[in-house]
Amino acid sequence: MGIIVQKFGGTSVADPQKIHNVAKAVIREKEKGNDVVVVVSAMGHTTDYLIKLAKEVTNNPDSREMDMLLSTGEQVSIALLAMAIQSNGYKAVSMNGQQVGIITENIHSKARIVDIKTEKLKKYLKEGNIIVVAGFQGVTPEGEITTLGRGGSDTSAVAIAAALKADRCDIYTDVEGVYATDPRIVPNIQKTDVISYEEMLELARVGANVLHPRSVETAKQFGVPLRVRSSFKLNNLGTLIIGVENMEIYKPVAGVAADTSQVRILLANLPDIPGTAAKLFGSLAKNNISVDMIIQSLASNGKNSIAFTVDADDLDSAIKILKEDDKDTVKDGEILIDKDIAKVSIVGAGMVDRPGIAADMFKALAEKDINIKMISTSEIKISCLVDKDKSKEAIKALCKEFNLETNEMAIVKGDLPDV
Ligand code: ASP
Ligand code: MG
């Protein structure tokens, strides 16, 4: 008998019938002899609705009051789910973040969890209860209610699993697991059976949108085995996310993603003197603008050029900074903007000891006549900037090149948690 933490998102608890379906999935796990803690989000689009409501009252809602308001969404769903479980003859108790003792930093709307008290959870489990915990919320040491940021219930669930040293944390959702790319772009893409925390984090950073990234970081830090699985097909195993050290990796690439939210800024004819890059990127950083890809070309005739990408939302402020604060550094250099870009990335722990993956990526793009505007690499990721309207074609070509349409990506070494 083990401890299983389950998490169900807003769509899974959107109405009373769905809440009863969740109760079934919870009871099913309990019936296997496990202790079960279930974390839920607010019903359906409740959080969006509450945000809208606040904005109708004032343009500038206070962040403390915002957390007071948003935390009510989850309080509704936990009580209803506990009732649904009880109506099937099982013992259940709902708890909000404060009752559990989910202690967070003293920051509203995006607090991080610093500690989770386990005494009450353990006591209720010992008494045979299924515990239903409100996701997305916590409390500061001073007793102030906080929330963890949109999508934060995933992180609540993983953190509780870590605190209880649970055998597994199952994130139930409306898809069947993690896919190597967006199934809307490559319809025959296969679900991934196993993927590493590292790959999942990189994929989340380059545009895949399955799990709250902090939940994956927490799972990695505490070694919590995570499963993403379907709340409609309970017998499906979904995707297991574990440490790379437990995997035997067959394929170099685990996933392909595209990010169309960036723009490229090109600074041509810059003076080729020490300190230019330091000044330019220093003033962007000072204004909280993150820069992603950077290329500096070879200098000639005492001139140089630097191209880099920023979030499209930051474009106007970045240009303003370059034209005003950096006037003396840019001098008579030219500032050019390219909005028509997509960053296409391949991610895979298996590329580490395999030469030639970058060359294969470039070849696959070249064969489709897709021009590469910029390249950047990290240990387990290669990104290419391409024209925005070529991004889907690029994804398709890369999935084909790296055999992601078939499902033999990884096998697992050693013991795996049971399902
Ligand atoms: N209810 C919160 C949101 O909509 C938290 C979550 O769903 O994970 O963002
Ligand atoms: Mg979610």
Side-chain angles (χ1 to χ4, degrees):
M1 183 165 120
I3 301 179
I4 304 293
V5 175
Q6 299 179 302
K7 183 261 169 178
F8 292 88
T11 35
S12 306
V13 293
D15 60 45
Q17 183 52 48
K18 288 188 173 149
I19 290 178
H20 272 292
N21 290 343
V22 169
K24 270 196 211 113
V26 174
I27 289 168
R28 181 177 174 271
E29 210 56 68
K30 176 78 181 163
E31 278 294 316
K32 288 185 194 162
N34 293 309
D35 279 340
V36 182
V37 177
V38 46
V39 174
V40 283
S41 300
M43 292 171 73
H45 298 290
T46 303
T47 310
D48 293 331
Y49 167 71
L50 293 172
I51 292 172
K52 187 169 152 269
L53 208 55
K55 296 242 162 91
E56 282 172 19
V57 171
T58 165
N59 274 335
N60 192 14
D62 178 74
S63 59
R64 177 189 185 275
E65 301 312 327
M66 218 39 210
D67 279 355
M68 289 295 285
L69 178 69
L70 296 190
S71 62
T72 62
E74 272 70 14
Q75 191 149 338
V76 172
S77 48
I78 54 171
L80 293 174
L81 179 57
M83 291 175 201
I85 297 169
Q86 289 162 354
S87 74
N88 285 281
Y90 289 79
K91 285 176 80 175
V93 57
S94 66
M95 299 176 85
N96 64 23
Q98 190 166 22
Q99 287 171 313
V100 172
I102 300 179
I103 311 299
T104 72
E105 312 165 310
N106 192 4
I107 295 174
H108 288 292
S109 85
K110 49 174 186 293
R112 284 176 173 264
I113 297 173
V114 292
D115 187 25
I116 294 187
K117 310 281 181 217
T118 55
E119 299 79 42
K120 278 194 213 141
L121 290 172
K122 285 183 179 154
K123 174 177 160 279
Y124 280 132
L125 286 177
K126 212 164 163 206
E127 292 167 6
N129 289 286
I130 291 167
I131 308 179
V132 188
V133 178
F136 174 60
Q137 57 179 261
V139 64
T140 68
E142 295 77 32
E144 288 297 316
I145 289 176
T146 51
T147 61
L148 312 181
R150 295 305 305 270
S153 299
D154 293 345
T155 300
S156 309
V158 175
I160 289 172
L164 288 173
K165 301 194 170 54
D167 296 74
R168 212 178 59 237
C169 181
D170 286 344
I171 308 281
Y172 285 83
T173 164
D174 47 4
V175 293
E176 288 187 34
V178 176
Y179 290 82
T181 199
D182 188 337
R184 286 170 303 186
I185 298 174
V186 185
N188 57 339
I189 197 78
Q190 291 282 335
K191 179 181 67 64
T192 302
D193 287 340
V194 187
I195 191 168
S196 65
Y197 302 125
E198 292 79 0
E199 290 163 322
M200 203 59 233
L201 277 172
E202 285 286 11
L203 281 171
R205 282 189 198 112
V206 292
N209 179 23
V210 193
L211 290 170
H212 196 231
R214 260 159 55 204
S215 69
V216 185
E217 275 167 30
T218 309
K220 178 175 180 232
Q221 187 180 350
F222 296 97
V224 179
L226 256 186
R227 239 181 220 291
V228 175
R229 57 197 302 180
S230 160
S231 44
F232 308 111
K233 300 186 183 163
L234 297 179
N235 289 325
N236 288 12
L237 294 185
T239 299
L240 182 66
I241 308 168
I242 52 174
V244 72
E245 63 282 0
N246 295 317
M247 291 170 61
E248 190 96 64
I249 297 167
Y250 281 154
K251 287 190 179 176
V253 175
V256 179
D259 178 356
T260 52
S261 68
Q262 297 190 347
V263 291
R264 179 168 70 149
I265 299 175
L266 174 70
L267 303 172
N269 276 325
L270 292 175
D272 184 35
I273 49 171
T276 303
K279 279 196 200 121
L280 295 174
F281 293 109
S283 34
L284 291 171
K286 221 170 42 213
N287 287 282
N288 255 328
I289 296 180
S290 308
V291 172
D292 185 19
M293 301 168 100
I294 303 176
I295 290 188
Q296 178 174 307
S297 64
L298 280 177
S300 71
N301 298 332
K303 294 287 180 192
N304 211 335
S305 62
I306 298 181
F308 58 94
T309 61
V310 296
D311 239 33
D313 292 342
D314 288 332
L315 176 65
D316 292 346
S317 359
I319 296 298
K320 189 160 178 276
I321 292 161
L322 293 170
K323 284 193 174 155
E324 292 172 10
D325 305 8
D326 289 328
K327 205 169 53 216
D328 298 337
T329 316
V330 176
K331 287 233 168 78
D332 46 1
E334 241 182 303
I335 304 178
L336 303 166
I337 298 165
D338 182 2
K339 294 186 182 173
D340 173 34
I341 55 162
K343 183 174 77 170
V344 178
S345 307
I346 58 174
V347 171
M351 67 175 72
V352 173
D353 323 299
R354 265 181 259 211
I357 303 303
D360 291 343
M361 180 180 192
F362 306 151
K363 184 194 74 191
L365 295 176
E367 278 169 4
K368 294 282 171 202
D369 232 359
I370 298 172
N371 190 33
I372 301 172
K373 298 175 164 190
M374 274 173 120
I375 300 167
S376 79
T377 63
S378 74
E379 206 184 9
I380 66 165
K381 182 186 74 186
I382 306 169
S383 303
C384 293
L385 213 60
V386 302
D387 281 342
K388 204 180 241 170
D389 62 358
K390 293 282 167 109
S391 56
K392 282 191 183 161
E393 209 182 340
I395 287 180
K396 285 185 195 149
L398 294 169
C399 286
K400 201 165 178 96
E401 175 68 31
F402 295 107
N403 293 322
L404 295 172
E405 290 159 342
T406 57
N407 187 18
E408 302 144 14
M409 183 199 98
I411 57 160
V412 172
K413 260 197 261 174
D415 287 340
L416 266 193
D418 212 14
V419 281

